Short mmCIF file of all heavy atoms in Angstrom, two decimals:
data_model
loop_
_atom_site.label_atom_id
_atom_site.label_comp_id
_atom_site.label_asym_id
_atom_site.label_seq_id
_atom_site.Cartn_x
_atom_site.Cartn_y
_atom_site.Cartn_z
N SER A 73 157.32 267.44 109.89
CA SER A 73 158.51 266.68 110.03
C SER A 73 158.16 265.16 110.19
O SER A 73 159.03 264.30 109.96
CB SER A 73 159.37 267.15 111.18
OG SER A 73 158.62 267.11 112.37
N SER A 75 155.47 263.83 108.62
CA SER A 75 154.65 263.34 107.48
C SER A 75 155.58 262.94 106.36
O SER A 75 156.72 263.34 106.26
CB SER A 75 153.77 264.54 107.01
OG SER A 75 153.25 265.25 108.13
N PHE A 81 160.78 269.34 92.28
CA PHE A 81 161.41 270.71 92.17
C PHE A 81 161.32 271.33 90.76
O PHE A 81 161.20 270.55 89.79
CB PHE A 81 162.94 270.58 92.54
CG PHE A 81 163.08 270.16 94.02
CD1 PHE A 81 163.11 268.85 94.42
CD2 PHE A 81 163.21 271.16 94.99
CE1 PHE A 81 163.34 268.51 95.72
CE2 PHE A 81 163.40 270.83 96.37
CZ PHE A 81 163.37 269.44 96.69
N ASP A 86 168.39 268.86 88.12
CA ASP A 86 169.25 269.08 89.28
C ASP A 86 168.83 268.29 90.50
O ASP A 86 169.54 268.03 91.41
CB ASP A 86 169.38 270.53 89.61
CG ASP A 86 170.55 270.85 90.53
OD1 ASP A 86 171.56 270.23 90.35
OD2 ASP A 86 170.40 271.65 91.49
N LEU A 88 167.51 265.11 90.16
CA LEU A 88 167.79 263.74 89.93
C LEU A 88 169.25 263.43 90.19
O LEU A 88 170.07 264.37 90.26
CB LEU A 88 167.51 263.37 88.47
CG LEU A 88 166.02 263.43 88.03
CD1 LEU A 88 165.89 263.21 86.55
CD2 LEU A 88 165.22 262.39 88.83
N TRP A 91 174.31 259.85 88.68
CA TRP A 91 175.04 258.64 88.84
C TRP A 91 174.09 257.40 88.98
O TRP A 91 174.64 256.25 88.98
CB TRP A 91 176.03 258.74 89.99
CG TRP A 91 175.33 259.18 91.27
CD1 TRP A 91 174.74 258.48 92.21
CD2 TRP A 91 175.31 260.54 91.68
NE1 TRP A 91 174.21 259.27 93.17
CE2 TRP A 91 174.59 260.52 92.89
CE3 TRP A 91 175.73 261.78 91.16
CZ2 TRP A 91 174.31 261.84 93.58
CZ3 TRP A 91 175.51 262.91 91.93
CH2 TRP A 91 174.79 262.89 93.08
N PHE A 100 165.24 255.41 95.07
CA PHE A 100 165.77 256.24 96.19
C PHE A 100 164.65 256.52 97.23
O PHE A 100 164.99 256.61 98.45
CB PHE A 100 166.35 257.54 95.74
CG PHE A 100 167.17 258.32 96.75
CD1 PHE A 100 168.41 258.01 97.03
CD2 PHE A 100 166.52 259.34 97.43
CE1 PHE A 100 169.16 258.75 97.97
CE2 PHE A 100 167.21 260.04 98.45
CZ PHE A 100 168.54 259.67 98.68
N SER A 101 163.47 256.66 96.79
CA SER A 101 162.34 256.87 97.73
C SER A 101 161.95 255.71 98.57
O SER A 101 161.25 255.91 99.55
CB SER A 101 161.09 257.33 96.97
OG SER A 101 161.34 258.51 96.23
N TYR A 133 170.44 256.33 81.99
CA TYR A 133 170.80 257.32 82.96
C TYR A 133 169.99 258.65 82.58
O TYR A 133 169.69 258.84 81.44
CB TYR A 133 172.25 257.59 82.93
CG TYR A 133 173.05 256.50 83.56
CD1 TYR A 133 173.61 255.51 82.72
CD2 TYR A 133 173.22 256.40 84.99
CE1 TYR A 133 174.36 254.45 83.36
CE2 TYR A 133 173.88 255.41 85.62
CZ TYR A 133 174.40 254.41 84.72
OH TYR A 133 175.19 253.38 85.36
N TYR A 135 170.83 261.63 82.05
CA TYR A 135 171.37 262.41 81.08
C TYR A 135 171.21 261.93 79.70
O TYR A 135 171.46 262.62 78.64
CB TYR A 135 172.84 262.80 81.38
CG TYR A 135 173.69 261.62 81.48
CD1 TYR A 135 174.16 260.91 80.34
CD2 TYR A 135 174.15 261.14 82.78
CE1 TYR A 135 175.01 259.79 80.46
CE2 TYR A 135 174.89 260.04 82.87
CZ TYR A 135 175.37 259.36 81.74
OH TYR A 135 176.12 258.23 81.84
N GLU A 150 158.45 260.61 93.31
CA GLU A 150 157.61 261.13 94.46
C GLU A 150 156.34 260.28 94.56
O GLU A 150 155.86 259.99 95.65
CB GLU A 150 157.30 262.60 94.17
CG GLU A 150 158.50 263.53 93.99
CD GLU A 150 159.56 263.30 95.06
OE1 GLU A 150 159.19 263.34 96.25
OE2 GLU A 150 160.71 263.10 94.69
N THR B 144 169.59 271.23 96.03
CA THR B 144 168.38 270.56 95.65
C THR B 144 168.43 269.03 95.94
O THR B 144 167.56 268.45 96.49
CB THR B 144 168.08 270.72 94.10
OG1 THR B 144 168.27 272.13 93.78
CG2 THR B 144 166.66 270.34 93.76
N ARG B 145 169.59 268.42 95.58
CA ARG B 145 169.78 266.98 95.84
C ARG B 145 169.78 266.68 97.30
O ARG B 145 169.23 265.67 97.71
CB ARG B 145 171.00 266.47 95.24
CG ARG B 145 170.89 266.42 93.72
CD ARG B 145 171.99 265.71 92.94
NE ARG B 145 171.72 265.98 91.54
CZ ARG B 145 172.52 266.55 90.66
NH1 ARG B 145 173.75 266.97 91.11
NH2 ARG B 145 172.21 266.72 89.44
N MET B 147 168.05 268.42 99.48
CA MET B 147 166.67 268.54 99.86
C MET B 147 165.83 267.34 99.59
O MET B 147 164.96 266.95 100.26
CB MET B 147 166.06 269.83 99.23
CG MET B 147 166.69 271.14 99.72
SD MET B 147 165.63 272.56 99.82
CE MET B 147 165.20 272.92 98.12
N LYS B 152 162.96 262.82 101.90
CA LYS B 152 162.74 261.40 101.90
C LYS B 152 163.20 260.85 103.24
O LYS B 152 163.30 259.64 103.52
CB LYS B 152 163.54 260.70 100.72
CG LYS B 152 163.05 261.02 99.43
CD LYS B 152 161.66 260.44 99.18
CE LYS B 152 160.97 261.11 97.91
NZ LYS B 152 160.85 262.55 97.98
N LYS B 153 163.56 261.76 104.20
CA LYS B 153 164.07 261.35 105.53
C LYS B 153 165.16 260.34 105.40
O LYS B 153 165.22 259.41 106.18
CB LYS B 153 162.85 260.80 106.31
CG LYS B 153 161.69 261.82 106.43
CD LYS B 153 160.74 261.48 107.51
CE LYS B 153 159.50 262.39 107.65
NZ LYS B 153 159.39 263.39 106.62
N LYS B 158 172.96 257.35 104.58
CA LYS B 158 172.43 257.17 103.20
C LYS B 158 172.75 258.45 102.35
O LYS B 158 173.17 258.45 101.24
CB LYS B 158 171.00 256.90 103.27
CG LYS B 158 170.43 256.65 101.93
CD LYS B 158 168.90 256.25 101.95
CE LYS B 158 168.37 256.01 100.55
NZ LYS B 158 166.88 255.75 100.48
N LYS B 162 175.05 257.99 99.32
CA LYS B 162 174.33 257.98 98.03
C LYS B 162 174.27 259.27 97.41
O LYS B 162 173.96 259.35 96.23
CB LYS B 162 172.96 257.34 98.28
CG LYS B 162 173.04 255.87 98.55
CD LYS B 162 171.65 255.26 98.18
CE LYS B 162 171.84 253.85 97.73
NZ LYS B 162 170.54 253.25 97.48
N PRO B 166 179.01 260.57 95.72
CA PRO B 166 178.88 260.64 94.28
C PRO B 166 178.93 262.03 93.67
O PRO B 166 179.63 262.26 92.64
CB PRO B 166 177.53 259.92 93.94
CG PRO B 166 177.20 259.19 95.17
CD PRO B 166 177.76 259.83 96.36
N SER B 167 178.34 262.98 94.36
CA SER B 167 178.43 264.35 93.93
C SER B 167 179.85 264.84 93.88
O SER B 167 180.27 265.58 92.93
CB SER B 167 177.67 265.31 94.77
OG SER B 167 176.30 265.05 94.78
N HIS B 243 180.81 258.65 84.77
CA HIS B 243 180.32 258.77 83.44
C HIS B 243 179.40 259.89 83.25
O HIS B 243 179.17 260.46 82.11
CB HIS B 243 179.63 257.42 83.11
CG HIS B 243 178.50 257.04 84.09
ND1 HIS B 243 177.31 257.54 84.09
CD2 HIS B 243 178.62 256.30 85.25
CE1 HIS B 243 176.54 257.06 85.09
NE2 HIS B 243 177.36 256.26 85.77
N TRP B 244 178.79 260.43 84.31
CA TRP B 244 177.78 261.52 84.15
C TRP B 244 178.48 262.92 84.09
O TRP B 244 177.79 263.94 83.74
CB TRP B 244 176.83 261.49 85.34
CG TRP B 244 177.47 261.76 86.60
CD1 TRP B 244 177.60 263.00 87.18
CD2 TRP B 244 178.11 260.82 87.53
NE1 TRP B 244 178.25 262.90 88.41
CE2 TRP B 244 178.61 261.59 88.64
CE3 TRP B 244 178.24 259.46 87.54
CZ2 TRP B 244 179.24 260.94 89.71
CZ3 TRP B 244 178.94 258.83 88.56
CH2 TRP B 244 179.42 259.59 89.69
#
Side-chain angles (χ1 to χ4, degrees):
Chain A
S73 58
S75 321
F81 294 88
D86 194 40
L88 294 174
W91 47 87
F100 188 85
S101 295
Y133 288 97
Y135 57 78
E150 304 311 309
Chain B
T144 314
R145 290 190 184 122
M147 293 211 294
K152 296 292 167 299
K153 303 192 179 12
K158 184 176 177 184
K162 286 204 152 177
S167 295
H243 52 86
W244 64 90

